[in-house]
Amino acid sequence: MGKSDQVMDICLLAGEIMLTYGAETYRVEETLERMAKAASMKNVHCFATSTGIFLSFEEEGKDDQMQMVRVDDRLQDLNKVTEVNQVSREFVNRELDAEQAHEKLKAIADSPVPYPLWLIHLSAGVAGSGFALLFGGDWPDLFPAFLAAILTSVTVVEFERYLKVRFAAEFAAAFLGGSMAIVLVFFGIGDNVNQIIIGSLMPLVPGVPLTNAVRDLMSGDLVAGVSRGAEALLTALSIASGVAFAISLFL
Amino acid sequence: MFFIELIICFIATVGFGVIFSVPKRALLLGGGIGVIAYSILNAGLYFDASPVFSTAAASLTAALISHMLARFVRIPVTTLAIPGILPLVPGSRAYFTMLSFVDGEYLTGLEYGVETMLRAGAIAAGLVFALAVFSFGKGVGHRYETNR
């Protein structure tokens, strides 16, 4: 395997990890271009949208290289983005050679989520109940919002794991979370049904695509920015329709 | 009471950090930024500023602090900015928009909907402005090639 092949592999692996786990498009492009230039490649060009990466460069005195990867999953794990960022920084500063960088990137790609799943569900509950209170709930609303938010988080994670349908999972999670809140209030646990429902929906807020859309639009990646914005909008709509379904059924 | 709210806001923001798998060293920083954003939002509301303006000011401050801290701790800005702006998300407005439409009160729903859009836009405006401040001289060409 030639040197340019190896550099191509490293760059595309880094880009794929970053794009999958919620980095902005501009960061992917900038990181790949820096890494390829640091490996003394000439004529480096990178184009990334939210679903794929193209990278082309030429090694001194040899032919041009051009490859692309398609990115299907879009998950949220900002820890991996940070770690790839670190690896690329060390690679550019020549603290890592190509072999070591490739090993490290593979380790990052295979590593699990930094927090165990139960902790994620628990913090979804804590965040949901906290926001139920901040949005004008009272102290008795804390516990039902906690339970409903945990149910929302568990539903969205398990639906995505087994059914692998994105917006349906969010629809089901919003529906079940909203129904749980309504049922709990019906049995006298908690007072303000509206605030409890809002709290139970907060773990579904599409924070990563929303922030990235703004960032991408601003830095001139119009295609990526608009498509991320559409993704955030679709998520918001499926949450709204899920909870609207629950409300019109039970309330 | 406001102090207790700030503590709850901190805990909830850190919880959101865990949901987004923010690295451990950035969790508490993100929570702190969230608390600052929330207190600026409430200070603005207390002094009778419009909700949209308060949201924009809070979002701008949160984004500026995230940019500075991100340089300092060497992590991507989004890991700090995403938890930081979450307390500003107009969740309750969005919910009441949906509720009014379900109840068939379309005018009220439109009113809430416009406010939701404006607040979300204010968050985006704050992010954009902070980004603009930190990318002076690095942006992309837009109108004339003045340096030729």
Side-chain angles (χ1 to χ4, degrees):
Chain A
M1 192 164 74
K3 189 190 170 198
S4 57
D5 271 337
Q6 197 184 20
V7 173
M8 182 64 90
D9 282 355
I10 296 169
C11 288
L12 284 182
L13 182 58
E16 196 181 350
I17 299 172
M18 290 183 107
L19 204 54
T20 308
Y21 293 102
E24 316 97 299
T25 314
Y26 106 94
R27 185 181 301 283
V28 175
E29 290 179 354
E30 201 178 271
T31 308
L32 297 202
E33 285 181 7
R34 272 192 200 164
M35 284 171 78
K37 278 177 190 158
S40 61
M41 296 295 154
K42 298 280 175 296
N43 202 9
V44 181
H45 288 283
C46 180
F47 174 66
T49 71
S50 39
T51 46
I53 309 168
F54 301 81
L55 177 64
S56 81
F57 52 66
E58 63 176 303
E59 195 181 349
E60 196 85 66
K62 292 190 182 161
D63 281 346
D64 284 294
Q65 284 243 4
M66 156 100 204
Q67 269 188 40
M68 71 157 295
V69 282
R70 158 85 204 188
V71 177
D72 288 318
D73 295 325
R74 273 184 302 292
L75 314 166
Q76 45 188 24
D77 188 344
L78 297 175
N79 189 41
K80 287 191 174 175
V81 178
T82 312
E83 284 181 6
V84 174
N85 213 38
Q86 186 66 33
V87 169
S88 92
R89 190 176 286 125
E90 287 172 9
F91 183 72
V92 171
N93 293 339
R94 316 212 176 251
E95 291 160 24
L96 290 176
D97 61 20
E99 273 309 318
Q100 288 168 321
H102 203 185
E103 288 304 314
K104 276 206 169 181
L105 287 175
K106 274 186 198 157
I108 294 173
D110 293 337
S111 66
V113 190
Y115 306 103
L117 215 47
W118 61 264
L119 185 60
I120 291 182
H121 294 324
L122 192 71
S123 46
V126 170
S129 53
F131 276 105
L133 208 65
L134 292 183
F135 282 136
D138 294 320
W139 291 105
D141 303 334
L142 262 185
F143 185 62
F146 178 75
L147 288 184
I150 285 184
L151 180 70
T152 311
S153 174
V154 170
T155 317
V156 76
V157 170
E158 297 302 319
F159 255 69
E160 279 196 349
R161 180 190 321 205
Y162 292 110
L163 300 183
K164 304 232 177 247
V165 195
R166 169 152 197 192
F167 297 113
E170 275 145 3
F171 178 87
F175 174 71
L176 284 180
S179 315
M180 176 94 160
I182 294 170
V183 168
L184 283 175
V185 172
F186 181 76
F187 285 114
I189 311 168
D191 303 329
N192 307 309
V193 70
N194 293 336
Q195 273 71 21
I196 298 173
I197 294 179
I198 296 168
S200 75
L201 297 183
M202 281 306 274
L204 299 175
V205 167
V208 177
L210 212 58
T211 321
N212 285 349
V214 174
R215 186 74 170 87
D216 284 341
L217 281 177
M218 184 64 187
S219 56
D221 297 314
L222 300 177
V223 178
V226 170
S227 58
R228 294 244 201 219
E231 192 185 356
L233 197 66
L234 276 178
T235 307
L237 280 180
S238 54
I239 297 170
S241 48
V243 75
F245 196 48
I247 286 176
S248 35
L249 265 183
F250 299 120
L251 216 60
Chain B
M1 183 55 208
F2 188 62
F3 188 65
I4 301 172
E5 261 184 41
L6 287 187
I7 293 175
I8 289 171
C9 176
F10 181 80
I11 297 170
T13 316
V14 170
F16 259 110
V18 176
I19 297 177
F20 293 131
S21 304
V22 168
K24 290 190 183 78
R25 63 202 157 108
L27 266 183
L28 296 181
L29 292 177
I33 296 171
V35 168
I36 293 172
Y38 186 74
S39 37
I40 290 178
L41 172 67
N42 276 290
L45 294 178
Y46 181 78
F47 289 114
D48 281 337
S50 84
V52 177
F53 174 76
S54 316
T55 311
S59 151
L60 173 63
T61 319
L64 282 177
I65 297 174
S66 337
H67 273 275
M68 280 187 270
L69 277 181
R71 300 233 161 146
F72 195 64
V73 232
R74 291 183 165 272
I75 47 177
V77 187
T78 34
T79 40
L80 292 173
I82 292 176
I85 57 161
L86 265 166
L88 310 175
V89 169
S92 78
R93 298 289 144 177
Y95 172 77
F96 285 118
T97 308
M98 189 273 313
L99 196 64
S100 315
F101 279 122
V102 169
D103 287 344
E105 293 164 10
Y106 298 122
L107 277 180
T108 327
L110 280 181
E111 227 170 87
Y112 278 125
V114 168
E115 202 181 338
T116 313
M117 294 302 288
L118 281 178
R119 285 201 192 192
I123 297 177
L127 284 177
V128 162
F129 197 73
L131 179 67
V133 169
F134 274 84
S135 55
F136 281 151
K138 292 188 293 188
V140 285
H142 183 50
R143 201 154 291 180
Y144 300 116
E145 292 182 288
T146 38
N147 288 332
R148 203 160 263 192

